[in-house]
Amino acid sequence: WTLLRNDANRKANVVQLRSRTGHSMLLHEERLKLFIFAGQRGKDSLSDFYAYDIPSDRVTSLSWDSTRQGGPSAGFTPRATIDPSLNELYVLGGLSRDKTAHTESLWVFNLDREKWTCIRQENMGYDPPCPRYGHQLVYDNQQRIHYLFGGNPGENGQSKERLDDFWELRYEQVVCT
């Protein structure tokens, strides 16, 4: 292991990654970038969004608050996937600031346009999975299929329940306007 950065060795006038837990981090293999989104720092839920350029060791801020830029709410344990051929990042679920889980929408971030789009799952012609956090989400970028499994339900009083449902999501590429 090689330490790249931490809170103790911050450089002046450079965008820094703040320490956090429960965030999402994805690798875009073609662009050689890592994307870091949301999470929790202390009692604060975060909705910031960063790109880390691997070759240059440089962090850029894509958003200090994705919610204010039309993106998902701040959250803990959102799950994210990436489609490098479409240059899209997908975010589903997580525990929001008000301690409720949300999966009513799949969020898509277009990396070329740097724009969020919300896909309301109830408008897709089926009943979506119940709200959840702590789940796992993976993406098959060859078949363009998301797979969702487990987690905790997002309803009050059910924080110790564990979900055993397994879902598949197929949809056409979103055209941003």
Side-chain angles (χ1 to χ4, degrees), residues 73-93:
S73 300
F76 178 68
T77 72
R79 297 302 185 223
T81 59
I82 193 167
D83 188 321
S85 62
L86 295 175
N87 289 317
E88 291 180 338
L89 183 141
Y90 309 93
V91 177
L92 181 70

mmCIF file of all heavy atoms in Angstrom, residues 73-93:
data_model
loop_
_atom_site.group_PDB
_atom_site.id
_atom_site.type_symbol
_atom_site.label_atom_id
_atom_site.label_comp_id
_atom_site.label_asym_id
_atom_site.label_seq_id
_atom_site.Cartn_x
_atom_site.Cartn_y
_atom_site.Cartn_z
ATOM 1 N N SER A 73 -30.280 13.088 -3.016
ATOM 2 C CA SER A 73 -30.114 13.639 -1.675
ATOM 3 C C SER A 73 -28.852 13.106 -1.035
ATOM 4 O O SER A 73 -28.362 12.034 -1.403
ATOM 5 C CB SER A 73 -31.304 13.254 -0.791
ATOM 6 O OG SER A 73 -32.491 13.749 -1.315
ATOM 7 N N ALA A 74 -28.364 13.847 -0.056
ATOM 8 C CA ALA A 74 -27.214 13.382 0.711
ATOM 9 C C ALA A 74 -27.552 12.046 1.330
ATOM 10 O O ALA A 74 -28.691 11.818 1.737
ATOM 11 C CB ALA A 74 -26.863 14.402 1.787
ATOM 12 N N GLY A 75 -26.575 11.166 1.391
ATOM 13 C CA GLY A 75 -26.893 9.861 1.934
ATOM 14 C C GLY A 75 -25.699 9.049 2.365
ATOM 15 O O GLY A 75 -24.560 9.323 2.010
ATOM 16 N N PHE A 76 -26.013 8.032 3.144
ATOM 17 C CA PHE A 76 -25.061 7.079 3.689
ATOM 18 C C PHE A 76 -25.343 5.740 3.014
ATOM 19 O O PHE A 76 -26.490 5.325 2.919
ATOM 20 C CB PHE A 76 -25.272 7.004 5.198
ATOM 21 C CG PHE A 76 -24.387 6.026 5.904
ATOM 22 C CD1 PHE A 76 -23.026 6.250 5.999
ATOM 23 C CD2 PHE A 76 -24.923 4.899 6.493
ATOM 24 C CE1 PHE A 76 -22.206 5.364 6.671
ATOM 25 C CE2 PHE A 76 -24.108 4.005 7.170
ATOM 26 C CZ PHE A 76 -22.748 4.240 7.259
ATOM 27 N N THR A 77 -24.363 5.075 2.544
ATOM 28 C CA THR A 77 -24.402 3.804 1.823
ATOM 29 C C THR A 77 -25.197 3.844 0.520
ATOM 30 O O THR A 77 -25.873 2.875 0.182
ATOM 31 C CB THR A 77 -24.885 2.601 2.683
ATOM 32 O OG1 THR A 77 -26.275 2.705 2.943
ATOM 33 C CG2 THR A 77 -24.078 2.460 3.952
ATOM 34 N N PRO A 78 -25.116 4.925 -0.264
ATOM 35 C CA PRO A 78 -25.713 4.818 -1.594
ATOM 36 C C PRO A 78 -24.867 3.837 -2.396
ATOM 37 O O PRO A 78 -23.669 3.716 -2.158
ATOM 38 C CB PRO A 78 -25.587 6.229 -2.171
ATOM 39 C CG PRO A 78 -24.369 6.770 -1.507
ATOM 40 C CD PRO A 78 -24.378 6.179 -0.111
ATOM 41 N N ARG A 79 -25.477 3.143 -3.290
ATOM 42 C CA ARG A 79 -24.708 2.219 -4.130
ATOM 43 C C ARG A 79 -24.650 2.798 -5.531
ATOM 44 O O ARG A 79 -25.639 3.310 -6.044
ATOM 45 C CB ARG A 79 -25.333 0.826 -4.138
ATOM 46 C CG ARG A 79 -25.346 0.178 -2.768
ATOM 47 C CD ARG A 79 -23.940 0.062 -2.180
ATOM 48 N NE ARG A 79 -23.972 -0.663 -0.927
ATOM 49 C CZ ARG A 79 -23.307 -0.308 0.140
ATOM 50 N NH1 ARG A 79 -22.566 0.773 0.141
ATOM 51 N NH2 ARG A 79 -23.363 -1.029 1.232
ATOM 52 N N ALA A 80 -23.489 2.696 -6.122
ATOM 53 C CA ALA A 80 -23.287 3.297 -7.436
ATOM 54 C C ALA A 80 -22.595 2.305 -8.361
ATOM 55 O O ALA A 80 -21.843 1.436 -7.912
ATOM 56 C CB ALA A 80 -22.452 4.570 -7.310
ATOM 57 N N THR A 81 -22.866 2.459 -9.642
ATOM 58 C CA THR A 81 -22.219 1.666 -10.684
ATOM 59 C C THR A 81 -21.837 2.622 -11.806
ATOM 60 O O THR A 81 -22.252 3.781 -11.815
ATOM 61 C CB THR A 81 -23.156 0.565 -11.233
ATOM 62 O OG1 THR A 81 -24.330 1.186 -11.773
ATOM 63 C CG2 THR A 81 -23.543 -0.422 -10.149
ATOM 64 N N ILE A 82 -21.062 2.121 -12.754
ATOM 65 C CA ILE A 82 -20.618 2.976 -13.849
ATOM 66 C C ILE A 82 -20.674 2.189 -15.155
ATOM 67 O O ILE A 82 -20.408 0.989 -15.173
ATOM 68 C CB ILE A 82 -19.191 3.512 -13.581
ATOM 69 C CG1 ILE A 82 -18.838 4.640 -14.538
ATOM 70 C CG2 ILE A 82 -18.170 2.400 -13.587
ATOM 71 C CD1 ILE A 82 -17.589 5.408 -14.134
ATOM 72 N N ASP A 83 -21.057 2.882 -16.215
ATOM 73 C CA ASP A 83 -20.991 2.312 -17.563
ATOM 74 C C ASP A 83 -19.965 3.138 -18.324
ATOM 75 O O ASP A 83 -20.244 4.260 -18.745
ATOM 76 C CB ASP A 83 -22.346 2.370 -18.259
ATOM 77 C CG ASP A 83 -22.341 1.622 -19.581
ATOM 78 O OD1 ASP A 83 -21.326 1.699 -20.312
ATOM 79 O OD2 ASP A 83 -23.358 0.989 -19.900
ATOM 80 N N PRO A 84 -18.737 2.624 -18.497
ATOM 81 C CA PRO A 84 -17.685 3.403 -19.142
ATOM 82 C C PRO A 84 -17.950 3.682 -20.620
ATOM 83 O O PRO A 84 -17.490 4.687 -21.140
ATOM 84 C CB PRO A 84 -16.427 2.563 -18.960
ATOM 85 C CG PRO A 84 -16.877 1.212 -18.569
ATOM 86 C CD PRO A 84 -18.266 1.321 -18.028
ATOM 87 N N SER A 85 -18.703 2.826 -21.289
ATOM 88 C CA SER A 85 -18.979 3.068 -22.712
ATOM 89 C C SER A 85 -20.016 4.179 -22.902
ATOM 90 O O SER A 85 -19.960 4.915 -23.884
ATOM 91 C CB SER A 85 -19.430 1.789 -23.411
ATOM 92 O OG SER A 85 -20.633 1.315 -22.854
ATOM 93 N N LEU A 86 -20.949 4.318 -21.966
ATOM 94 C CA LEU A 86 -21.942 5.391 -22.027
ATOM 95 C C LEU A 86 -21.489 6.625 -21.250
ATOM 96 O O LEU A 86 -22.142 7.664 -21.309
ATOM 97 C CB LEU A 86 -23.286 4.916 -21.468
ATOM 98 C CG LEU A 86 -23.992 3.803 -22.237
ATOM 99 C CD1 LEU A 86 -25.256 3.373 -21.487
ATOM 100 C CD2 LEU A 86 -24.322 4.242 -23.651
ATOM 101 N N ASN A 87 -20.423 6.496 -20.468
ATOM 102 C CA ASN A 87 -19.952 7.567 -19.591
ATOM 103 C C ASN A 87 -21.057 8.032 -18.657
ATOM 104 O O ASN A 87 -21.309 9.222 -18.497
ATOM 105 C CB ASN A 87 -19.360 8.733 -20.388
ATOM 106 C CG ASN A 87 -18.037 8.349 -20.995
ATOM 107 O OD1 ASN A 87 -17.200 7.723 -20.344
ATOM 108 N ND2 ASN A 87 -17.846 8.702 -22.250
ATOM 109 N N GLU A 88 -21.692 7.033 -18.035
ATOM 110 C CA GLU A 88 -22.766 7.313 -17.081
ATOM 111 C C GLU A 88 -22.479 6.611 -15.765
ATOM 112 O O GLU A 88 -22.002 5.482 -15.735
ATOM 113 C CB GLU A 88 -24.116 6.836 -17.619
ATOM 114 C CG GLU A 88 -24.615 7.642 -18.781
ATOM 115 C CD GLU A 88 -25.940 7.169 -19.315
ATOM 116 O OE1 GLU A 88 -26.326 6.000 -19.114
ATOM 117 O OE2 GLU A 88 -26.620 7.997 -19.957
ATOM 118 N N LEU A 89 -22.798 7.304 -14.681
ATOM 119 C CA LEU A 89 -22.694 6.785 -13.339
ATOM 120 C C LEU A 89 -24.114 6.669 -12.798
ATOM 121 O O LEU A 89 -24.920 7.578 -13.007
ATOM 122 C CB LEU A 89 -21.869 7.753 -12.499
ATOM 123 C CG LEU A 89 -21.564 7.382 -11.072
ATOM 124 C CD1 LEU A 89 -20.141 7.802 -10.775
ATOM 125 C CD2 LEU A 89 -22.514 8.043 -10.130
ATOM 126 N N TYR A 90 -24.440 5.569 -12.136
ATOM 127 C CA TYR A 90 -25.789 5.310 -11.626
ATOM 128 C C TYR A 90 -25.745 5.229 -10.105
ATOM 129 O O TYR A 90 -24.854 4.593 -9.545
ATOM 130 C CB TYR A 90 -26.326 3.993 -12.187
ATOM 131 C CG TYR A 90 -26.209 3.899 -13.685
ATOM 132 C CD1 TYR A 90 -25.108 3.306 -14.280
ATOM 133 C CD2 TYR A 90 -27.188 4.439 -14.514
ATOM 134 C CE1 TYR A 90 -24.981 3.236 -15.660
ATOM 135 C CE2 TYR A 90 -27.079 4.366 -15.900
ATOM 136 C CZ TYR A 90 -25.966 3.765 -16.459
ATOM 137 O OH TYR A 90 -25.839 3.695 -17.824
ATOM 138 N N VAL A 91 -26.723 5.832 -9.439
ATOM 139 C CA VAL A 91 -26.788 5.817 -7.979
ATOM 140 C C VAL A 91 -28.179 5.355 -7.562
ATOM 141 O O VAL A 91 -29.186 5.861 -8.070
ATOM 142 C CB VAL A 91 -26.507 7.212 -7.379
ATOM 143 C CG1 VAL A 91 -26.660 7.203 -5.866
ATOM 144 C CG2 VAL A 91 -25.111 7.686 -7.766
ATOM 145 N N LEU A 92 -28.222 4.413 -6.616
ATOM 146 C CA LEU A 92 -29.488 3.876 -6.131
ATOM 147 C C LEU A 92 -29.435 3.701 -4.628
ATOM 148 O O LEU A 92 -28.503 3.099 -4.090
ATOM 149 C CB LEU A 92 -29.762 2.515 -6.780
ATOM 150 C CG LEU A 92 -31.070 1.831 -6.388
ATOM 151 C CD1 LEU A 92 -32.257 2.581 -6.981
ATOM 152 C CD2 LEU A 92 -31.071 0.392 -6.855
ATOM 153 N N GLY A 93 -30.421 4.217 -3.946
ATOM 154 C CA GLY A 93 -30.621 3.956 -2.527
ATOM 155 C C GLY A 93 -29.685 4.696 -1.605
ATOM 156 O O GLY A 93 -28.985 5.623 -1.983
#
